[in-house]
Amino acid sequence: MLASRAFSLVGKRALSTSICLRAHGHAGVVKADDFSLPAYVDRRDVPLPEVAFVRDLSAQQKALKEKEKASWTALSADEKVELYRIKFNETYAEMKKGTNEWKTVLGGVLFFLGLTGLLLIWQKHFMYGPVPHTFSDEWLSAQTKRMLDMRINPVEGISSQWDFEKNEWKK
Amino acid sequence: MRRLLARRMKFHLFGAFLVSLGCAAIYKFGVAEPRKRAYAEFYRNYDPMKDFEAMRRAGVFESAPPK
């Protein structure tokens, strides 16, 4: 109920703004926001973006643009580079160049892994109780003997590592 | 910049094919073949009755106690 009331208020406000502008007549074109105009992008798969990089040219650059309309052989190398930089932000080489971000990422990951390790050590020392009695050495050796007696995994597993004739682990 | 997608795609298709083939080959010759050999070796001269008697003597059976 409240939400619909608020929504209708917003709607009324937007409606009144556009009506105002239309009423003025001469200001029939709303100033377009930057995000709704075609934009410049540095992307490998967009070789010719929709607009040039530099939007507002200085006087010097405007003069250069005039010179560009004449024969291009008259342009010096520096002027050609300047014209390129007006149109494009980065060259393909600059675009494709890698960053060193991976080092930061790897460092962060390892750091937090280490922090977690410290946390686990603290937990084992201060928080957890003793392990069950079935982990004691006597129990484990009795358990292993029973597994060998039963010939558990005789082909590739534990019983294949025991020499039953000599009664010892295979070398 | 010509045929940007085609070049990339060719490279990656080739690579993916080789990588998957390589993985299959490594598994076959690293895991599958040794396992088959191990089983063949085990069962070549296997005497189940002898094995059973050894297990019975160790006392692991409930229904077949050691004599």
Side-chain angles (χ1 to χ4, degrees):
Chain A
M1 169 68 175
L2 217 62
S4 63
R5 275 268 222 64
F7 185 72
S8 61
L9 267 170
V10 169
K12 274 197 217 116
R13 203 181 131 101
L15 217 54
S16 64
T17 322
S18 54
I19 286 172
C20 262
L21 282 164
R22 249 173 272 160
H24 277 258
H26 72 280
V29 178
V30 180
K31 170 138 185 7
D33 298 307
D34 272 340
F35 51 78
S36 59
L37 292 169
Y40 176 84
V41 282
D42 267 326
R43 281 179 60 113
R44 281 187 297 173
D45 50 356
V46 180
L48 291 172
E50 290 163 11
V51 290
F53 177 54
V54 179
R55 202 166 36 168
D56 311 306
L57 302 170
S58 70
Q60 200 181 0
Q61 287 170 325
K62 283 197 184 117
L64 189 58
K65 278 296 204 185
E66 287 301 319
K67 196 172 174 196
E68 194 192 13
K69 293 177 184 172
S71 168
W72 286 342
T73 52
L75 295 166
S76 74
D78 283 333
E79 287 173 332
K80 286 179 192 165
V81 171
E82 176 63 27
L83 282 168
Y84 181 91
R85 290 292 174 184
I86 290 173
K87 197 153 187 158
F88 301 105
N89 181 20
E90 286 182 319
T91 66
Y92 260 72
E94 288 165 7
M95 230 195 285
K96 287 199 253 190
K97 194 169 57 174
T99 63
N100 280 330
E101 192 189 4
W102 68 273
K103 295 178 192 170
T104 313
V105 171
L106 192 67
V109 166
L110 292 174
F111 173 76
F112 280 107
L113 280 176
L115 216 63
T116 311
L118 286 175
L119 191 74
L120 292 174
I121 292 170
W122 183 90
Q123 279 183 329
K124 176 78 180 105
H125 196 259
F126 287 107
M127 206 178 82
Y128 290 125
V131 290
H133 64 101
T134 53
F135 283 92
S136 68
D137 279 331
E138 305 86 40
W139 191 283
L140 283 178
S141 42
Q143 179 177 298
T144 316
K145 173 147 181 37
R146 195 171 139 80
M147 282 172 74
L148 292 170
D149 287 339
M150 290 195 283
R151 307 292 192 273
I152 298 288
N153 273 336
V155 185
E156 278 190 318
I158 189 165
S159 301
S160 70
Q161 306 295 326
W162 179 260
D163 192 339
F164 286 98
E165 272 91 55
K166 291 195 218 133
N167 240 2
E168 60 185 10
W169 292 109
K170 284 185 186 165
K171 298 290 176 286
Chain B
M1 236 210 281
R2 292 191 184 215
R3 294 190 282 273
L4 209 61
L5 177 65
R7 250 187 315 136
R8 184 186 161 83
M9 194 172 246
K10 185 161 78 168
F11 175 78
H12 282 86
L13 275 174
F14 211 52
F17 185 73
L18 287 178
V19 165
S20 43
L21 218 63
C23 283
I26 284 172
Y27 185 84
K28 182 176 168 70
F29 293 111
V31 178
E33 287 302 315
R35 191 170 284 168
K36 283 195 260 183
R37 258 179 284 136
Y39 272 81
E41 279 306 315
F42 180 78
Y43 283 110
R44 203 179 302 267
N45 302 313
Y46 181 60
D47 185 6
M49 289 318 295
K50 183 164 139 237
D51 219 23
F52 168 72
E53 289 301 329
M55 280 196 261
R56 169 195 263 186
R57 256 176 278 123
V60 290
F61 292 127
E62 278 188 18
S63 50
K67 295 197 205 43

